Amino acid sequence: MKLFSSVDDVTDLKKFIEVALIQKADPFAHKSLGKDKIIGLVFLNPSLRTRLSTQKAALNLGMNVMVMNLDKEGWALETEDGVVMNGSTVEHIREAAAVMGEYCDILGFRSFPKLQDREEDYSESLFKKFVKFSGVPVVSLESATLHPLQSFADLITIEEHKKTAKPKVVLTWAPHVKALPQAVPNSFAEWMCKAQAEGMVDFVITHPPGFELAEKFTPGATIITDQDEALKGADFVYVKNWSSYQDYGKTLAGAESWMITHKKLEGTNSAKVMHCLPVRRDYELSAEILDGPDSLVIKEAGNRTWAAQAVLKEMLEALK
């Protein structure tokens, strides 16, 4: 594996889950694999779980880790070609990424969308340039449209906690105070649709009208705008806000009724509730759920380490 940016970079989903769970059971079994190897984690946006879990995974594999918050610690970055750099930008991504590739064996890169130009964001131009110019294997730490490490951890969590061979998984839109990217729901939908195609889950998406995700991420998913109907019989409920894809970057005011509560879960199959975090308590998801036995958010966050470790193990083995 030289690139991890979506579920399409995984050849065998079930085997990949097994690799992650083996890492979880014995975190230091492959500590020699990363000896004398360096991973650079490059962030253009804030991170808690992604940074710490990926750093921990790399250390478990014996790697040395360098972290750079490029938005705060680096030179102002120019990302467009053909620009005369006589303005505020100081360094071009061509040189910046290439230099990082000289220093590191593997790189991780995080950037968020601007939510202003859908074509620009969905082209993934910035992430693709970083991959191209760095010249080394790259792990997506979240891009404009996808967050594969999060979704892999989500699938691991479902596999660990499922009570039936083919659980019903519902992705539900949630209210939020500001417009958020579609990266997490896009990615979760992409991974669940592939899992559904392999007979692992039944997948349903529910959201208010006008909040449909890009169709390329939802093939085979059942999409319902009636939240109560969608939740019936659910085994897992994944809660996440996202801004509109069609009316790009717009959000919905006055939609507090979409927040998941114990009352909302009454029609489910004693569903477990998931969220990628951070979460706005009692606005995006009720505190009674977060603090109760139905919540998997902490277990889910814990599995971020094993998702990252499985990916890095594959990349290190490919470097041999």
Side-chain angles (χ1 to χ4, degrees), residues 191-208:
W191 284 71
M192 289 303 118
C193 286
K194 185 162 185 177
Q196 178 171 261
E198 296 187 11
M200 298 168 65
V201 301
D202 284 323
F203 183 49
V204 175
I205 303 173
T206 185
H207 55 70

Side-chain angles (χ1 to χ4, degrees), residues 8 30 33 56 59 88 90 113 137 140 151 165 178 268 278 287 310-311:
D8 293 333
H30 299 93
L33 194 58
K56 180 180 177 180
L59 293 170
S88 60
V90 178
S140 171
S151 302
K178 64 178 183 178
T268 70
V311 171

Side-chain angles (χ1 to χ4, degrees), residues 4-10 13 122 124 140-155 171 181-195 203 205 213-214 216-219 238 240-242 276 304:
F4 183 74
S5 62
S6 81
V7 74
D8 293 333
D9 297 313
V10 179
L13 201 56
Y122 273 71
E124 290 286 11
S140 171
L141 305 177
E142 187 170 3
S143 68
T145 66
L146 292 172
H147 195 351
L149 284 176
Q150 177 65 57
S151 302
F152 184 25
D154 297 335
L155 187 55
L171 167 62
Q182 297 109 32
V184 169
N186 280 348
S187 198
F188 186 76
E190 183 184 54
W191 284 71
M192 289 303 118
C193 286
K194 185 162 185 177
F203 183 49
I205 303 173
L213 297 170
K216 68 178 181 178
F217 298 122
T218 63
Y238 197 96
K240 187 70 182 81
N241 174 267
W242 62 90
C276 63
R304 291 294 305 278

Side-chain angles (χ1 to χ4, degrees), residues 30-57:
H30 299 93
K31 196 171 181 68
S32 62
L33 194 58
K35 186 177 185 296
D36 299 328
K37 298 295 184 183
I38 296 174
I39 184 170
L41 304 179
V42 182
F43 295 90
L44 290 178
N45 300 94
S47 179
L48 190 160
R49 281 148 293 275
T50 300
R51 172 176 172 171
L52 295 182
S53 61
T54 308
Q55 190 167 353
K56 180 180 177 180

Side-chain angles (χ1 to χ4, degrees), residues 33-41 58 61-67 100-108 136-137 312 316 319:
L33 194 58
K35 186 177 185 296
D36 299 328
K37 298 295 184 183
I38 296 174
I39 184 170
L41 304 179
L61 290 167
M63 301 187 77
N64 295 304
V65 183
M66 298 193 297
V67 179
M100 293 176 198
E102 287 291 308
Y103 298 152
C104 302
D105 300 286
I106 295 173
L107 285 165
V136 297
L312 294 180
L316 286 168
L319 287 174

